[in-house]
Amino acid sequence: SQQGEEDPQALSIQEGENATMNCSYKTSINNLQWYRQNSGRGLVHLILIRSNEREKHSGRLRVTLDTSKKSSSLLITASRAADTASYFCATARVSSNTGKLIFGQGTTLQVKP
Amino acid sequence: GAVVSQHPSRVICKSGTSVKIECRSLDFQATTMFWYRQFPKQSLMLMATSNEGSKATYEQGVEKDKFLINHASLTLSTLTVTSAHPEDSSFYICSAPGQGAPVGGYTFGSGTRLTVV
């Protein structure tokens, strides 16, 4: 399969709660990126974590990477209704020098006001 | 920041006709563009890699004669869906390594919703 796995597929929480999404991948990677997509729109880059990093923060976002388990998680703290969107992880493979990104299946997040 | 302008945002065409989708990098040069296809409530599937000055590289299972890609300049890549059929209806998105990529991630166009009737 071209894609990795993400879970959960859908997540519904109340405003103010934290949201955690997980991503697993299959091959060795150079980096892993998280993107956000509002319905019917393009993707917006959120954060990139390199293969030699274990944790990274950006505002209310926290990303972890475990290369031994080939998995990553995205935590959104103190969620807001505006965070409602689909979130995708994407990996750049070590074996590829083309810069191709392979996307996970995505998590649809709904934050209820 | 880096911006990729994609047009049109929506297009409806009749079966058998061709549709061209354009992606322009507005404030940077994109020697490479990636074209994705997305079905409703699904992830992005990479279709092809567009390279300025050379032929596009297609992913396995993608018909190169149906999805014509041209990277005419350092700022423009086009995807032409030829002899469109209803099963080609989908959301098509382009992306390019943005300035400072990979640290800055990739920049995506806003997507084109193609409906073939």
Side-chain angles (χ1 to χ4, degrees), chain A residues 18-108:
Chain A
N18 296 340
T20 300
M21 291 159 258
N22 302 296
C23 164
S24 62
Y25 55 92
K26 299 178 180 178
T27 64
S28 295
I29 62 171
N30 287 316
N31 62 71
L32 186 143
Q33 306 178 33
W34 284 90
Y35 287 82
R36 164 192 169 133
Q37 183 182 33
N38 287 82
S39 181
R41 304 296 297 274
L43 277 71
V44 175
H45 177 256
L46 295 176
I47 194 167
L48 177 149
I49 186 164
R50 296 183 185 279
S51 60
N52 61 353
E53 297 176 309
R54 292 297 168 259
E55 187 171 313
K56 203 161 184 179
H57 297 254
S58 177
R60 293 184 296 113
L61 305 180
R62 173 177 167 251
V63 170
T64 63
L65 179 65
D66 187 334
T67 52
S68 66
K69 295 181 180 178
K70 290 187 168 58
S71 68
S72 173
S73 69
L74 171 67
L75 168 66
I76 303 174
T77 61
S79 64
R80 306 166 182 169
D83 294 329
T84 295
S86 292
Y87 292 83
F88 295 93
C89 67
T91 54
R93 295 175 179 172
V94 168
S95 60
S96 169
N97 64 355
T98 62
K100 292 193 291 188
L101 290 183
I102 305 301
F103 283 83
Q105 294 176 343
T107 294
T108 299

Side-chain angles (χ1 to χ4, degrees), chain B:
Chain B
V3 175
V4 172
S5 176
Q6 184 171 348
H7 294 279
S9 57
R10 289 178 180 271
V11 58
I12 300 173
C13 71
K14 293 183 179 179
S15 288
T17 62
S18 296
V19 172
K20 180 183 284 188
I21 302 169
E22 291 189 350
C23 276
R24 293 180 183 273
S25 55
L26 296 187
D27 48 4
F28 68 103
Q29 293 182 335
T31 56
T32 300
M33 282 257 194
F34 300 98
W35 287 92
Y36 292 87
R37 181 174 182 175
Q38 185 179 33
F39 289 105
K41 299 189 186 303
Q42 294 189 25
S43 186
L44 283 74
M45 294 293 293
L46 180 64
M47 299 174 65
T49 303
S50 164
N51 301 296
E52 191 273 335
S54 63
K55 291 183 178 180
T57 305
Y58 291 81
E59 295 298 304
Q60 191 173 7
V62 178
E63 298 177 61
K64 60 180 68 176
D65 293 332
K66 175 173 237 346
F67 300 100
L68 299 180
I69 290 173
N70 185 284
H71 203 127
S73 71
L74 287 171
T75 59
L76 175 64
S77 176
T78 61
L79 167 67
T80 301
V81 182
T82 64
S83 187
H85 289 100
E87 56 264 32
D88 298 324
S89 298
S90 191
F91 192 60
Y92 294 87
I93 315 176
C94 61
S95 79
Q99 286 181 323
V103 174
Y106 287 50
T107 300
F108 282 77
S110 54
T112 297
R113 173 76 59 193
L114 170 63
T115 303
V116 185
V117 298

